[in-house]
Amino acid sequence: MAATPIASPIAVAMYPTLSGITLAIGLIVTAFFFIYEATSSRKNRSLGMELSTAAAASLFLGFGSLFLLLASGVYV
Amino acid sequence: MMKQASVVDLFLLLLAIPLLATPAFSDLVLSKVERRIDVTSQIARVTKTLKVVNSGSESVSEFTLTFPKFLGNNLAYLSVSHSEGKGKSKRSLATLSVEEAHPKGMPDSVSFYSVSLPKPLNKGDALTLEVVAAFTNVLQPFPEKISQRDIHLVMLQESAQYLSPYVVESQSLSIKLPNARIESYTKLENTKLQGSEIKYGPYKNLAQYSYAPIVVHFESKAAFAVAEKLVREIEVSHWGNVQVTEHYNLVHRGAQLKGEFSRLEYQDRPNPQGVSAFRHLLARLPPRAHSIYYRDDIGNISTSQMQSDSKKTELLIEPRFPLFGGWKTFFTIGYGLPLSDFLFASEGKRFLDISFGSPMIDLVTEKLIVQVVLPEGSKDISVTTPFAVKQSHEIKYSHLDIAGRPVVVLEKNNVVPDHNQNIQVYYKFSNINLLSEPLMLITGFFVLFITCIVYTRADFSISKSSAAYLAKLQWDEVLATLQEVQNIIHKCLAAHDKLETSLRDLSRTGDIQTCKAARKSTDGLLKDLSKELRPLLASLQSFPSASHISPKVEELVAKEKELQEKLMAKHTTVVEGYEKKSSGRDIENRIASQQQKIIALRQEVEDLLEFIDEI
C-alpha cells in the first residue's frame, strides 16, 4: 500500500506573503466601509451596500488574520 | 538493599534447582550459546546468539527464555529474531513474538518468556535465535553514597553459565566494560581479561538451570540520567506543522552525593573534582526540525547548541547546573517538524508516523506519557505500536476550537532508547474541516461590522422631544437635501461637458447634425434637472437651521443657470459659424468673450460646490 505524504493545502512558504496581501485588501475595504458610514446621510444610506462591503471586508480580514497566525508560528 | 535481596534470590534458586522435578519442557538442546553483555552505558544490553537443535522426537513450536527474577523485573526491552547464515552472510529474519509466561510448578525466582518459532522445528533441525535484552537498574552503584571527589563505581551481578531450561552444550560469555578502572571481578575457571572485556568460557555440557553467579565491580563514566516522568505532546496541524513539546523531570540515578558540593573544586583546573556528575545531554531530533526552544519554569535556558544536517538535527543541552547523584532538574524542549515528513495517506485514512520515545540518547524513562493531539474533526482514531502501551482518550481545547481536539494518550513505564521506534496513529479527516477556522475568524469580524451598522442606524437618544434632538433631526435632513442638490449640480456639469465635447467633435469631423442633436438632448436633460432642483430648493429654504446655507445654494443654482445659458449661446454661435462656413478664426473671435465668462463662471460654481462639500 503506497503511503503518499500529506502536505498543507497552501505552501507554507506563502503564508507571510498571503497574509500581507489579504490583510492589506481587507483593511482597504474596511476603510471604504467606514468612509461610506461617515459621509452618507441617514436617508441616502443603502443597507445592501453596507452589508456587501462589510462581508467583503470581514472575508479578507478573516483570511488575513488566519494567515498571520500561521506565519507567526501559531499553527491553529 | 538490592544486593541483599539478590543474594537471597540466588540462594533460593540454588536450593530450588535440585528440588525441581525435571520440568516437562521439550527436548530442545542449545548447541551453542554466545552471550555479550554491554555495560558501557547505564543500561545493560545483553545480546545472545542461541543455536537450538531439536534432539527430541516431536516438533516444537515454542521456545522458552529465562532470566533470574532480579534481572527479569528490570527487563525493559526484549526482542527475539531468528537469523540464518554465518559470519558475513548472516541475515536477520523476522522478529518473533515473545510473551511473558508463567508455567506451573516453576520457582518464583525465575521469569519465563515464551517465544513462538516461525515454523515448527522438526526432529534434528537447527535454528539460530538472536535475543536482544535491555535491563535498567541492574548496574547498582557500590558504594551507594560517594563524595564529590570519588569515582563512580557500579556493580553487575550475572551468571557465567547461561540459565536455561534446556541442556546447553557449549557456551561463552563476554562482558564489555567501559574503558575505565575495573575494581574486581569473580574469577571462575576459563576467565580472561582482555583490555576492558572479560571473557568467561567456553563452558561445555552444562545441565539445565545451571547457574554460576559472578559479580563485576567497575567504574562507570556513563551519565546515569533517568527521566522520572516525561510528557511528550505531539500536536498535528494540517496547516503544515507537527509541534512536539517534551517536559522532562530528570534525576541522576547513580551513587548519591554525600557531603557538600564545592564549586571551587568542581571548576579547579587541572584537576576538576566531580567525575560522577554529568553536564550535557544530547538529543537527536529528526531532520528539518525548526523553532527549537529549551526552557524551564524560570525562563529560557541559553546553554544549548544545535547542529543540523540532512539526516538529523543534534541538540546538545546543558541544564542550569551539573547533576550529581540524587540531584533533580526539570525542563521543557519544544520543536516543530514539517508535516509532509510525518503524515501520510493510505487507503482513505491518514496516519502519523512518528517516533515514540525520547530523542535523547541514553536516557531511561521511568514513566513516559505520549499525547498525540489530532486536529478537530478527526474520526476513527486507532494506534499501532510495535510494543505494548496503555491507551486512553482525552479532549484538549486549543486555538479556534469548537468541540475540542481528540487526544490519544499512550503510557509506558521503563522506556529505554531501544523503544525509540515509530508508532502509527490512524485517523480520518477531510480537508473541509480545515475551513472552520477561517470561518470563525470571518464571522467574528462580520459581527464587528454589523455592530457598526446597527449603531449608525439605531436611535439611542433618551428624549425624543428635546430641542437638541429635533435640531439634529433637522440637520440630517438638511444634509440629505444638500447632497441631492450636489448630485444634480454634478449631473448638470456633466451635461455641460458633453456639450463641450460635441463642439470639439464638430471641429474635428464637421458633422453639424450630430452636434445639433447633442445640443437638443442636453437641453432636455438640463430642463429636467432644473425641475428636480426646484422642490429641493424650496425645502431647503423651509429649514431655519439652513439659513446660512440656502443663499449660497441659491447663488450656486443661479450661477449654474447662467453658465448654462452662456454655453448654449456659444454652442449656437459655433454651429451657425460652421453652417455659414466662416473660417475658424472668425468663430474664435466671436466666442472669445463668451468663453472667458464661461471659464470664470465655471470656477465660481466649483468653488461653491467645494464649500457645500465641506459642510
Side-chain angles (χ1 to χ4, degrees), chain A residues 3-6 8 15 33-34 37 39 42-45 47 50 54-55 58-59 75-76, chain B residues 237-239 241 340 343-345 347 350 437 442 445-446 449 452-453 456-457 480 483:
Chain A
T4 51
I6 299 178
S8 147
Y15 285 150
F33 174 80
F34 280 110
E37 288 286 325
T39 55
R42 209 162 248 265
K43 250 193 326 184
N44 295 347
R45 225 171 267 157
L47 187 65
E50 284 179 329
S58 57
L59 182 78
Y75 279 89
V76 294
Chain B
S237 161
H238 284 121
W239 291 105
N241 191 42
S340 45
L343 193 67
F344 302 95
E347 295 171 359
R350 302 180 180 213
E437 285 158 0
I442 291 173
F445 279 110
F446 195 61
F449 284 113
C452 283
I453 294 174
T456 50
R457 282 173 180 268
Q483 264 194 351

mmCIF file of all heavy atoms in Angstrom, chain A residues 3-6 8 15 33-34 37 39 42-45 47 50 54-55 58-59 75-76, chain B residues 237-239 241 340 343-345 347 350 437 442 445-446 449 452-453 456-457 480 483:
data_model
loop_
_atom_site.group_PDB
_atom_site.id
_atom_site.type_symbol
_atom_site.label_atom_id
_atom_site.label_comp_id
_atom_site.label_asym_id
_atom_site.label_seq_id
_atom_site.Cartn_x
_atom_site.Cartn_y
_atom_site.Cartn_z
ATOM 1 N N ALA A 3 2.041 4.837 0.569
ATOM 2 C CA ALA A 3 1.699 5.899 1.516
ATOM 3 C C ALA A 3 2.209 7.211 0.936
ATOM 4 O O ALA A 3 3.404 7.419 0.823
ATOM 5 C CB ALA A 3 2.353 5.629 2.864
ATOM 6 N N THR A 4 1.282 8.083 0.568
ATOM 7 C CA THR A 4 1.707 9.363 -0.003
ATOM 8 C C THR A 4 1.768 10.394 1.115
ATOM 9 O O THR A 4 0.867 10.453 1.948
ATOM 10 C CB THR A 4 0.711 9.840 -1.063
ATOM 11 O OG1 THR A 4 -0.593 9.781 -0.494
ATOM 12 C CG2 THR A 4 0.772 8.976 -2.286
ATOM 13 N N PRO A 5 2.801 11.222 1.127
ATOM 14 C CA PRO A 5 2.862 12.232 2.185
ATOM 15 C C PRO A 5 1.796 13.305 1.977
ATOM 16 O O PRO A 5 1.472 13.672 0.860
ATOM 17 C CB PRO A 5 4.273 12.820 2.050
ATOM 18 C CG PRO A 5 4.735 12.429 0.710
ATOM 19 C CD PRO A 5 3.993 11.214 0.285
ATOM 20 N N ILE A 6 1.264 13.779 3.071
ATOM 21 C CA ILE A 6 0.244 14.831 3.022
ATOM 22 C C ILE A 6 0.905 16.151 3.385
ATOM 23 O O ILE A 6 1.646 16.234 4.358
ATOM 24 C CB ILE A 6 -0.877 14.540 4.034
ATOM 25 C CG1 ILE A 6 -1.544 13.229 3.701
ATOM 26 C CG2 ILE A 6 -1.893 15.661 4.054
ATOM 27 C CD1 ILE A 6 -2.618 12.870 4.694
ATOM 28 N N SER A 8 0.277 20.644 3.511
ATOM 29 C CA SER A 8 -0.770 21.631 3.723
ATOM 30 C C SER A 8 -1.368 22.022 2.376
ATOM 31 O O SER A 8 -0.688 21.986 1.365
ATOM 32 C CB SER A 8 -0.152 22.840 4.421
ATOM 33 O OG SER A 8 -0.769 24.000 4.014
ATOM 34 N N TYR A 15 2.741 31.703 3.352
ATOM 35 C CA TYR A 15 1.888 32.280 4.400
ATOM 36 C C TYR A 15 2.164 33.760 4.674
ATOM 37 O O TYR A 15 1.218 34.543 4.755
ATOM 38 C CB TYR A 15 2.017 31.484 5.704
ATOM 39 C CG TYR A 15 1.291 30.154 5.701
ATOM 40 C CD1 TYR A 15 1.743 29.100 6.447
ATOM 41 C CD2 TYR A 15 0.142 29.982 4.955
ATOM 42 C CE1 TYR A 15 1.083 27.897 6.462
ATOM 43 C CE2 TYR A 15 -0.530 28.789 4.952
ATOM 44 C CZ TYR A 15 -0.053 27.739 5.714
ATOM 45 O OH TYR A 15 -0.709 26.549 5.730
ATOM 46 N N PHE A 33 -15.735 50.962 3.878
ATOM 47 C CA PHE A 33 -16.934 50.810 4.693
ATOM 48 C C PHE A 33 -17.105 51.981 5.630
ATOM 49 O O PHE A 33 -18.176 52.602 5.721
ATOM 50 C CB PHE A 33 -16.832 49.500 5.484
ATOM 51 C CG PHE A 33 -17.940 49.285 6.463
ATOM 52 C CD1 PHE A 33 -19.164 48.811 6.044
ATOM 53 C CD2 PHE A 33 -17.774 49.558 7.804
ATOM 54 C CE1 PHE A 33 -20.201 48.603 6.936
ATOM 55 C CE2 PHE A 33 -18.798 49.362 8.707
ATOM 56 C CZ PHE A 33 -20.013 48.883 8.273
ATOM 57 N N PHE A 34 -16.050 52.346 6.331
ATOM 58 C CA PHE A 34 -16.194 53.412 7.320
ATOM 59 C C PHE A 34 -16.361 54.773 6.669
ATOM 60 O O PHE A 34 -17.051 55.649 7.212
ATOM 61 C CB PHE A 34 -15.016 53.388 8.300
ATOM 62 C CG PHE A 34 -15.184 52.334 9.350
ATOM 63 C CD1 PHE A 34 -14.388 51.213 9.370
ATOM 64 C CD2 PHE A 34 -16.182 52.454 10.307
ATOM 65 C CE1 PHE A 34 -14.561 50.235 10.325
ATOM 66 C CE2 PHE A 34 -16.368 51.481 11.266
ATOM 67 C CZ PHE A 34 -15.561 50.366 11.267
ATOM 68 N N GLU A 37 -19.906 54.971 5.807
ATOM 69 C CA GLU A 37 -20.707 55.230 7.002
ATOM 70 C C GLU A 37 -20.643 56.693 7.408
ATOM 71 O O GLU A 37 -21.613 57.286 7.855
ATOM 72 C CB GLU A 37 -20.179 54.369 8.170
ATOM 73 C CG GLU A 37 -20.477 52.911 8.065
ATOM 74 C CD GLU A 37 -21.920 52.592 8.353
ATOM 75 O OE1 GLU A 37 -22.522 53.249 9.203
ATOM 76 O OE2 GLU A 37 -22.441 51.684 7.700
ATOM 77 N N THR A 39 -19.818 59.454 5.544
ATOM 78 C CA THR A 39 -20.220 60.535 4.642
ATOM 79 C C THR A 39 -21.668 60.445 4.184
ATOM 80 O O THR A 39 -22.213 61.418 3.700
ATOM 81 C CB THR A 39 -19.348 60.525 3.380
ATOM 82 O OG1 THR A 39 -19.433 59.218 2.814
ATOM 83 C CG2 THR A 39 -17.918 60.848 3.704
ATOM 84 N N ARG A 42 -28.473 59.955 6.608
ATOM 85 C CA ARG A 42 -29.389 58.914 7.049
ATOM 86 C C ARG A 42 -30.292 58.421 5.945
ATOM 87 O O ARG A 42 -30.576 57.233 5.817
ATOM 88 C CB ARG A 42 -30.236 59.477 8.184
ATOM 89 C CG ARG A 42 -30.695 58.480 9.163
ATOM 90 C CD ARG A 42 -31.115 59.214 10.416
ATOM 91 N NE ARG A 42 -30.209 58.918 11.487
ATOM 92 C CZ ARG A 42 -30.425 57.953 12.393
ATOM 93 N NH1 ARG A 42 -31.504 57.250 12.328
ATOM 94 N NH2 ARG A 42 -29.556 57.747 13.338
ATOM 95 N N LYS A 43 -30.782 59.365 5.124
ATOM 96 C CA LYS A 43 -31.740 58.959 4.100
ATOM 97 C C LYS A 43 -31.071 58.180 2.987
ATOM 98 O O LYS A 43 -31.650 57.269 2.423
ATOM 99 C CB LYS A 43 -32.409 60.219 3.506
ATOM 100 C CG LYS A 43 -33.837 60.349 3.902
ATOM 101 C CD LYS A 43 -34.656 61.362 3.140
ATOM 102 C CE LYS A 43 -33.956 62.594 2.704
ATOM 103 N NZ LYS A 43 -34.877 63.553 2.050
ATOM 104 N N ASN A 44 -29.836 58.574 2.654
ATOM 105 C CA ASN A 44 -29.227 58.000 1.461
ATOM 106 C C ASN A 44 -28.510 56.696 1.682
ATOM 107 O O ASN A 44 -28.020 56.095 0.743
ATOM 108 C CB ASN A 44 -28.197 58.989 0.876
ATOM 109 C CG ASN A 44 -28.866 60.227 0.398
ATOM 110 O OD1 ASN A 44 -30.081 60.235 0.278
ATOM 111 N ND2 ASN A 44 -28.098 61.258 0.149
ATOM 112 N N ARG A 45 -28.452 56.260 2.940
ATOM 113 C CA ARG A 45 -27.682 55.044 3.189
ATOM 114 C C ARG A 45 -28.365 53.828 2.600
ATOM 115 O O ARG A 45 -29.574 53.670 2.726
ATOM 116 C CB ARG A 45 -27.552 54.854 4.697
ATOM 117 C CG ARG A 45 -26.176 54.482 5.139
ATOM 118 C CD ARG A 45 -26.084 54.542 6.612
ATOM 119 N NE ARG A 45 -25.622 55.836 7.042
ATOM 120 C CZ ARG A 45 -25.838 56.330 8.235
ATOM 121 N NH1 ARG A 45 -26.574 55.669 9.085
ATOM 122 N NH2 ARG A 45 -25.360 57.504 8.561
ATOM 123 N N LEU A 47 -28.623 49.768 2.745
ATOM 124 C CA LEU A 47 -28.215 48.628 3.569
ATOM 125 C C LEU A 47 -27.446 47.592 2.755
ATOM 126 O O LEU A 47 -26.508 46.962 3.236
ATOM 127 C CB LEU A 47 -29.466 47.990 4.192
ATOM 128 C CG LEU A 47 -29.191 46.889 5.210
ATOM 129 C CD1 LEU A 47 -28.486 47.460 6.417
ATOM 130 C CD2 LEU A 47 -30.481 46.237 5.631
ATOM 131 N N GLU A 50 -23.877 48.603 2.488
ATOM 132 C CA GLU A 50 -23.173 48.409 3.766
ATOM 133 C C GLU A 50 -22.852 46.944 3.993
ATOM 134 O O GLU A 50 -21.721 46.573 4.335
ATOM 135 C CB GLU A 50 -24.051 48.911 4.912
ATOM 136 C CG GLU A 50 -24.108 50.407 5.044
ATOM 137 C CD GLU A 50 -25.014 50.822 6.180
ATOM 138 O OE1 GLU A 50 -26.000 50.099 6.459
ATOM 139 O OE2 GLU A 50 -24.738 51.851 6.782
ATOM 140 N N ALA A 54 -19.252 45.165 4.228
ATOM 141 C CA ALA A 54 -18.874 44.500 5.475
ATOM 142 C C ALA A 54 -18.508 43.052 5.217
ATOM 143 O O ALA A 54 -17.532 42.529 5.775
ATOM 144 C CB ALA A 54 -20.027 44.583 6.480
ATOM 145 N N ALA A 55 -19.261 42.379 4.354
ATOM 146 C CA ALA A 55 -18.973 40.971 4.078
ATOM 147 C C ALA A 55 -17.616 40.814 3.422
ATOM 148 O O ALA A 55 -16.805 39.968 3.826
ATOM 149 C CB ALA A 55 -20.067 40.381 3.185
ATOM 150 N N SER A 58 -14.849 41.563 5.986
ATOM 151 C CA SER A 58 -14.640 40.520 7.000
ATOM 152 C C SER A 58 -14.048 39.274 6.371
ATOM 153 O O SER A 58 -13.240 38.587 7.002
ATOM 154 C CB SER A 58 -15.931 40.205 7.732
ATOM 155 O OG SER A 58 -16.916 39.810 6.831
ATOM 156 N N LEU A 59 -14.381 38.972 5.114
ATOM 157 C CA LEU A 59 -13.780 37.809 4.454
ATOM 158 C C LEU A 59 -12.274 37.972 4.349
ATOM 159 O O LEU A 59 -11.495 37.097 4.755
ATOM 160 C CB LEU A 59 -14.392 37.653 3.058
ATOM 161 C CG LEU A 59 -13.906 36.449 2.267
ATOM 162 C CD1 LEU A 59 -14.600 35.216 2.756
ATOM 163 C CD2 LEU A 59 -14.167 36.632 0.790
ATOM 164 N N TYR A 75 0.308 27.493 14.827
ATOM 165 C CA TYR A 75 -0.362 26.665 13.829
ATOM 166 C C TYR A 75 -1.705 26.245 14.384
ATOM 167 O O TYR A 75 -1.826 25.262 15.091
ATOM 168 C CB TYR A 75 0.510 25.457 13.468
ATOM 169 C CG TYR A 75 1.559 25.824 12.473
ATOM 170 C CD1 TYR A 75 2.797 26.300 12.894
ATOM 171 C CD2 TYR A 75 1.310 25.738 11.112
ATOM 172 C CE1 TYR A 75 3.754 26.655 11.970
ATOM 173 C CE2 TYR A 75 2.269 26.084 10.189
ATOM 174 C CZ TYR A 75 3.488 26.547 10.626
ATOM 175 O OH TYR A 75 4.443 26.905 9.718
ATOM 176 N N VAL A 76 -2.747 27.020 14.058
ATOM 177 C CA VAL A 76 -4.066 26.770 14.640
ATOM 178 C C VAL A 76 -4.688 25.527 14.016
ATOM 179 O O VAL A 76 -4.352 25.144 12.923
ATOM 180 C CB VAL A 76 -4.987 27.980 14.414
ATOM 181 C CG1 VAL A 76 -4.458 29.161 15.186
ATOM 182 C CG2 VAL A 76 -5.066 28.328 12.955
ATOM 183 N N SER B 237 -1.024 19.749 13.075
ATOM 184 C CA SER B 237 -1.867 20.779 12.468
ATOM 185 C C SER B 237 -1.802 20.597 10.973
ATOM 186 O O SER B 237 -0.722 20.559 10.389
ATOM 187 C CB SER B 237 -1.348 22.167 12.838
ATOM 188 O OG SER B 237 -1.853 23.127 11.941
ATOM 189 N N HIS B 238 -2.949 20.475 10.332
ATOM 190 C CA HIS B 238 -2.928 20.230 8.907
ATOM 191 C C HIS B 238 -2.512 21.435 8.101
ATOM 192 O O HIS B 238 -2.448 21.358 6.878
ATOM 193 C CB HIS B 238 -4.303 19.748 8.434
ATOM 194 C CG HIS B 238 -4.541 18.323 8.797
ATOM 195 N ND1 HIS B 238 -5.581 17.918 9.586
ATOM 196 C CD2 HIS B 238 -3.849 17.217 8.518
ATOM 197 C CE1 HIS B 238 -5.519 16.609 9.750
ATOM 198 N NE2 HIS B 238 -4.472 16.162 9.120
ATOM 199 N N TRP B 239 -2.254 22.562 8.742
ATOM 200 C CA TRP B 239 -1.745 23.707 8.014
ATOM 201 C C TRP B 239 -0.248 23.599 7.776
ATOM 202 O O TRP B 239 0.353 24.514 7.253
ATOM 203 C CB TRP B 239 -2.040 25.001 8.771
ATOM 204 C CG TRP B 239 -3.485 25.367 8.802
ATOM 205 C CD1 TRP B 239 -4.327 25.256 9.863
ATOM 206 C CD2 TRP B 239 -4.269 25.899 7.725
ATOM 207 N NE1 TRP B 239 -5.584 25.701 9.519
ATOM 208 C CE2 TRP B 239 -5.571 26.098 8.223
ATOM 209 C CE3 TRP B 239 -4.001 26.242 6.401
ATOM 210 C CZ2 TRP B 239 -6.600 26.604 7.429
ATOM 211 C CZ3 TRP B 239 -5.028 26.754 5.625
ATOM 212 C CH2 TRP B 239 -6.304 26.927 6.140
ATOM 213 N N ASN B 241 2.344 21.683 10.088
ATOM 214 C CA ASN B 241 3.329 21.614 11.150
ATOM 215 C C ASN B 241 2.967 20.533 12.155
ATOM 216 O O ASN B 241 1.799 20.324 12.448
ATOM 217 C CB ASN B 241 3.367 22.962 11.874
ATOM 218 C CG ASN B 241 4.525 23.076 12.815
ATOM 219 O OD1 ASN B 241 5.635 22.678 12.498
ATOM 220 N ND2 ASN B 241 4.279 23.586 14.002
ATOM 221 N N SER B 340 4.772 17.122 6.006
ATOM 222 C CA SER B 340 4.842 16.082 4.984
ATOM 223 C C SER B 340 5.880 15.021 5.302
ATOM 224 O O SER B 340 5.912 13.988 4.651
ATOM 225 C CB SER B 340 5.122 16.681 3.615
ATOM 226 O OG SER B 340 6.146 17.630 3.712
ATOM 227 N N LEU B 343 3.186 12.829 8.091
ATOM 228 C CA LEU B 343 1.779 12.496 7.898
ATOM 229 C C LEU B 343 1.610 11.901 6.509
ATOM 230 O O LEU B 343 2.059 12.469 5.523
ATOM 231 C CB LEU B 343 0.916 13.750 8.033
ATOM 232 C CG LEU B 343 -0.577 13.507 8.151
ATOM 233 C CD1 LEU B 343 -0.882 12.810 9.450
ATOM 234 C CD2 LEU B 343 -1.339 14.798 8.068
ATOM 235 N N PHE B 344 0.975 10.751 6.449
ATOM 236 C CA PHE B 344 0.812 10.081 5.164
ATOM 237 C C PHE B 344 -0.626 9.652 4.974
ATOM 238 O O PHE B 344 -1.380 9.517 5.932
ATOM 239 C CB PHE B 344 1.724 8.840 5.100
ATOM 240 C CG PHE B 344 3.164 9.154 5.306
ATOM 241 C CD1 PHE B 344 3.730 9.047 6.562
ATOM 242 C CD2 PHE B 344 3.950 9.586 4.257
ATOM 243 C CE1 PHE B 344 5.057 9.349 6.774
ATOM 244 C CE2 PHE B 344 5.282 9.893 4.451
ATOM 245 C CZ PHE B 344 5.837 9.772 5.710
ATOM 246 N N ALA B 345 -1.000 9.424 3.717
ATOM 247 C CA ALA B 345 -2.355 8.982 3.404
ATOM 248 C C ALA B 345 -2.264 7.618 2.765
ATOM 249 O O ALA B 345 -1.435 7.393 1.884
ATOM 250 C CB ALA B 345 -3.017 9.960 2.438
ATOM 251 N N GLU B 347 -5.143 4.340 1.723
ATOM 252 C CA GLU B 347 -6.424 3.644 1.806
ATOM 253 C C GLU B 347 -7.499 4.471 2.496
ATOM 254 O O GLU B 347 -8.190 3.987 3.381
ATOM 255 C CB GLU B 347 -6.275 2.312 2.572
ATOM 256 C CG GLU B 347 -5.393 1.318 1.858
ATOM 257 C CD GLU B 347 -5.105 0.134 2.766
ATOM 258 O OE1 GLU B 347 -5.574 0.135 3.918
ATOM 259 O OE2 GLU B 347 -4.415 -0.774 2.324
ATOM 260 N N ARG B 350 -5.650 8.658 7.101
ATOM 261 C CA ARG B 350 -4.355 9.314 7.234
ATOM 262 C C ARG B 350 -3.642 8.677 8.408
ATOM 263 O O ARG B 350 -4.278 8.240 9.362
ATOM 264 C CB ARG B 350 -4.535 10.794 7.550
ATOM 265 C CG ARG B 350 -5.324 11.511 6.510
ATOM 266 C CD ARG B 350 -5.479 12.952 6.865
ATOM 267 N NE ARG B 350 -6.250 13.596 5.801
ATOM 268 C CZ ARG B 350 -6.081 14.843 5.422
ATOM 269 N NH1 ARG B 350 -5.188 15.590 6.027
ATOM 270 N NH2 ARG B 350 -6.812 15.345 4.466
ATOM 271 N N GLU B 437 -11.868 27.019 10.694
ATOM 272 C CA GLU B 437 -11.077 28.010 11.428
ATOM 273 C C GLU B 437 -11.144 29.399 10.805
ATOM 274 O O GLU B 437 -11.458 30.372 11.494
ATOM 275 C CB GLU B 437 -9.629 27.516 11.552
ATOM 276 C CG GLU B 437 -9.508 26.418 12.576
ATOM 277 C CD GLU B 437 -8.291 25.559 12.384
ATOM 278 O OE1 GLU B 437 -7.525 25.816 11.442
ATOM 279 O OE2 GLU B 437 -8.107 24.616 13.171
ATOM 280 N N ILE B 442 -13.778 34.953 10.238
ATOM 281 C CA ILE B 442 -14.588 35.818 9.371
ATOM 282 C C ILE B 442 -15.869 36.206 10.095
ATOM 283 O O ILE B 442 -16.300 37.378 10.063
ATOM 284 C CB ILE B 442 -14.897 35.092 8.041
ATOM 285 C CG1 ILE B 442 -13.617 34.949 7.234
ATOM 286 C CG2 ILE B 442 -15.943 35.832 7.247
ATOM 287 C CD1 ILE B 442 -13.771 34.101 6.004
ATOM 288 N N PHE B 445 -15.187 38.981 12.636
ATOM 289 C CA PHE B 445 -15.071 40.322 12.051
ATOM 290 C C PHE B 445 -16.415 40.823 11.552
ATOM 291 O O PHE B 445 -16.747 42.000 11.677
ATOM 292 C CB PHE B 445 -14.067 40.298 10.889
ATOM 293 C CG PHE B 445 -12.647 40.380 11.348
ATOM 294 C CD1 PHE B 445 -11.809 39.282 11.227
ATOM 295 C CD2 PHE B 445 -12.139 41.536 11.896
ATOM 296 C CE1 PHE B 445 -10.493 39.346 11.645
ATOM 297 C CE2 PHE B 445 -10.827 41.611 12.316
ATOM 298 C CZ PHE B 445 -10.010 40.513 12.190
ATOM 299 N N PHE B 446 -17.228 39.935 10.979
ATOM 300 C CA PHE B 446 -18.519 40.355 10.449
ATOM 301 C C PHE B 446 -19.431 40.862 11.553
ATOM 302 O O PHE B 446 -20.159 41.841 11.378
ATOM 303 C CB PHE B 446 -19.169 39.175 9.704
ATOM 304 C CG PHE B 446 -20.297 39.586 8.827
ATOM 305 C CD1 PHE B 446 -20.091 40.460 7.781
ATOM 306 C CD2 PHE B 446 -21.581 39.113 9.044
ATOM 307 C CE1 PHE B 446 -21.125 40.854 6.965
ATOM 308 C CE2 PHE B 446 -22.617 39.496 8.234
ATOM 309 C CZ PHE B 446 -22.395 40.371 7.183
ATOM 310 N N PHE B 449 -18.616 44.394 12.190
ATOM 311 C CA PHE B 449 -19.180 45.320 11.209
ATOM 312 C C PHE B 449 -20.675 45.492 11.396
ATOM 313 O O PHE B 449 -21.214 46.595 11.259
ATOM 314 C CB PHE B 449 -18.876 44.824 9.792
ATOM 315 C CG PHE B 449 -17.462 45.060 9.375
ATOM 316 C CD1 PHE B 449 -16.603 43.996 9.164
ATOM 317 C CD2 PHE B 449 -16.986 46.340 9.192
ATOM 318 C CE1 PHE B 449 -15.300 44.213 8.778
ATOM 319 C CE2 PHE B 449 -15.680 46.564 8.799
ATOM 320 C CZ PHE B 449 -14.833 45.504 8.599
ATOM 321 N N CYS B 452 -21.330 47.941 13.954
ATOM 322 C CA CYS B 452 -21.185 49.318 13.455
ATOM 323 C C CYS B 452 -22.429 49.760 12.709
ATOM 324 O O CYS B 452 -22.937 50.870 12.908
ATOM 325 C CB CYS B 452 -19.986 49.399 12.508
ATOM 326 S SG CYS B 452 -18.436 49.435 13.357
ATOM 327 N N ILE B 453 -22.954 48.892 11.852
ATOM 328 C CA ILE B 453 -24.131 49.250 11.059
ATOM 329 C C ILE B 453 -25.311 49.529 11.970
ATOM 330 O O ILE B 453 -26.025 50.525 11.824
ATOM 331 C CB ILE B 453 -24.464 48.114 10.064
ATOM 332 C CG1 ILE B 453 -23.358 47.989 9.035
ATOM 333 C CG2 ILE B 453 -25.799 48.355 9.405
ATOM 334 C CD1 ILE B 453 -23.544 46.814 8.110
ATOM 335 N N THR B 456 -24.967 52.897 13.719
ATOM 336 C CA THR B 456 -25.242 54.123 12.965
ATOM 337 C C THR B 456 -26.708 54.236 12.598
ATOM 338 O O THR B 456 -27.199 55.324 12.327
ATOM 339 C CB THR B 456 -24.414 54.160 11.673
ATOM 340 O OG1 THR B 456 -24.589 52.932 10.987
ATOM 341 C CG2 THR B 456 -22.948 54.381 11.974
ATOM 342 N N ARG B 457 -27.380 53.107 12.602
ATOM 343 C CA ARG B 457 -28.790 53.196 12.239
ATOM 344 C C ARG B 457 -29.707 53.357 13.424
ATOM 345 O O ARG B 457 -30.820 53.841 13.285
ATOM 346 C CB ARG B 457 -29.203 51.927 11.493
ATOM 347 C CG ARG B 457 -28.749 51.966 10.102
ATOM 348 C CD ARG B 457 -28.978 50.666 9.371
ATOM 349 N NE ARG B 457 -28.473 50.891 8.026
ATOM 350 C CZ ARG B 457 -29.222 51.319 7.029
ATOM 351 N NH1 ARG B 457 -30.502 51.512 7.205
ATOM 352 N NH2 ARG B 457 -28.688 51.552 5.858
ATOM 353 N N ALA B 480 -29.105 65.800 3.846
ATOM 354 C CA ALA B 480 -29.595 64.931 2.774
ATOM 355 C C ALA B 480 -29.955 65.771 1.555
ATOM 356 O O ALA B 480 -29.587 65.435 0.420
ATOM 357 C CB ALA B 480 -30.789 64.136 3.262
ATOM 358 N N GLN B 483 -26.980 67.040 -0.242
ATOM 359 C CA GLN B 483 -26.333 66.004 -1.053
ATOM 360 C C GLN B 483 -27.038 65.804 -2.374
ATOM 361 O O GLN B 483 -26.418 65.643 -3.425
ATOM 362 C CB GLN B 483 -26.315 64.681 -0.284
ATOM 363 C CG GLN B 483 -25.018 64.472 0.438
ATOM 364 C CD GLN B 483 -24.867 63.058 0.912
ATOM 365 O OE1 GLN B 483 -25.790 62.256 0.858
ATOM 366 N NE2 GLN B 483 -23.692 62.741 1.387
#
